[in-house]
């Protein structure tokens, strides 16, 4: 009987040890699950941060593209204005030359008229 009792106690002890081992493994699994959950949350937070960074980068890139377009438009406007200015300058120089030639022609005619006047005055005196 004592041998049977000892054997029962040993088996009970083994069962208790096994129960504690199973509990420890269960706690270990729970701990691992919690760690996995924290890791997933960390990944989620990193993904959210990456998406936010990506959105900010895309937003800044759009601002840069808009600024580049604006600069190109301004360059084009400046080019047109410069061309208009150059054309206007050419027109003004041509007018100036034409006016100068007309002034010379008028001066020559005036000199001619003055000479004829003087000739007529001389003829009248005689």
């Amino acid at each position: 009987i004592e041998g049977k009792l000892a054997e029962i106690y040993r088996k009970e002890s083994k069962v208790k040890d096994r129960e504690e081992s199973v509990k420890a493994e269960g706690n270990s699994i729970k701990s691992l699950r919690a760690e996995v959950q924290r890791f997933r949350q960390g990944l989620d937070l990193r993904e959210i941060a990456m998406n936010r960074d990506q959105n900010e980068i895309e937003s800044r890139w759009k601002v840069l593209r808009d600024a580049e377009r604006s600069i190109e438009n301004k360059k084009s406007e400046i080019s047109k204005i410069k061309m208009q200015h150059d054309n206007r300058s050419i027109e003004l120089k041509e007018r100036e030359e034409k006016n100068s030639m007309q002034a010379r022609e008028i001066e020559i005619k005036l000199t001619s008229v003055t000479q004829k006047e003087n000739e007529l005055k001389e003829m009248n005196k005689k």
Side-chain angles (χ1 to χ4, degrees):
I1 293 182
E2 283 182 24
K4 290 266 184 190
L5 276 178
E7 189 177 326
I8 290 173
Y9 286 130
R10 274 193 311 258
K11 284 183 181 181
E12 270 186 16
S13 176
K14 282 182 182 180
V15 167
K16 284 184 182 179
D17 287 347
R18 184 66 185 138
E19 283 177 350
E20 288 178 17
S21 174
V22 167
K23 280 184 185 177
E25 285 178 21
N27 289 339
S28 177
I29 289 171
K30 286 179 185 175
S31 174
L32 287 173
R33 283 185 181 153
E35 191 174 330
V36 166
Q37 185 62 25
R38 285 191 301 275
F39 181 76
R40 284 184 180 159
Q41 287 173 345
L43 286 178
D44 290 346
L45 291 175
R46 277 179 257 171
E47 186 177 348
I48 289 168
M50 284 173 46
N51 288 339
R52 187 177 37 227
D53 290 347
Q54 182 66 28
N55 290 341
E56 188 172 334
I57 287 168
E58 288 173 2
S59 173
R60 288 181 181 183
W61 187 249
K62 184 180 180 287
V63 168
L64 283 175
R65 281 195 318 259
D66 291 348
E68 285 176 342
R69 270 191 228 112
S70 177
I71 288 169
E72 289 303 316
N73 290 342
K74 293 296 180 188
K75 282 182 181 178
S76 177
E77 287 178 34
I78 289 169
S79 219
K80 287 177 187 175
I81 291 169
K82 188 175 187 278
M83 194 166 69
Q84 289 172 349
H85 178 267
D86 291 347
N87 290 341
R88 187 75 175 138
S89 292
I90 291 170
E91 285 178 23
L92 289 174
K93 283 182 183 177
E94 289 173 353
R95 277 192 198 168
E96 192 176 297
E97 288 173 5
K98 184 179 175 185
N99 287 344
S100 181
M101 285 175 40
Q102 286 176 344
R104 279 190 224 116
E105 288 174 2
I106 290 172
E107 210 173 291
I108 290 169
K109 287 178 184 177
L110 185 60
T111 302
S112 174
V113 168
T114 304
Q115 281 179 346
K116 285 189 181 184
E117 241 181 25
N118 286 339
E119 286 175 8
L120 286 174
K121 281 182 186 177
E122 283 293 320
M123 286 172 90
N124 279 341
K125 282 185 185 179
K126 291 184 185 180

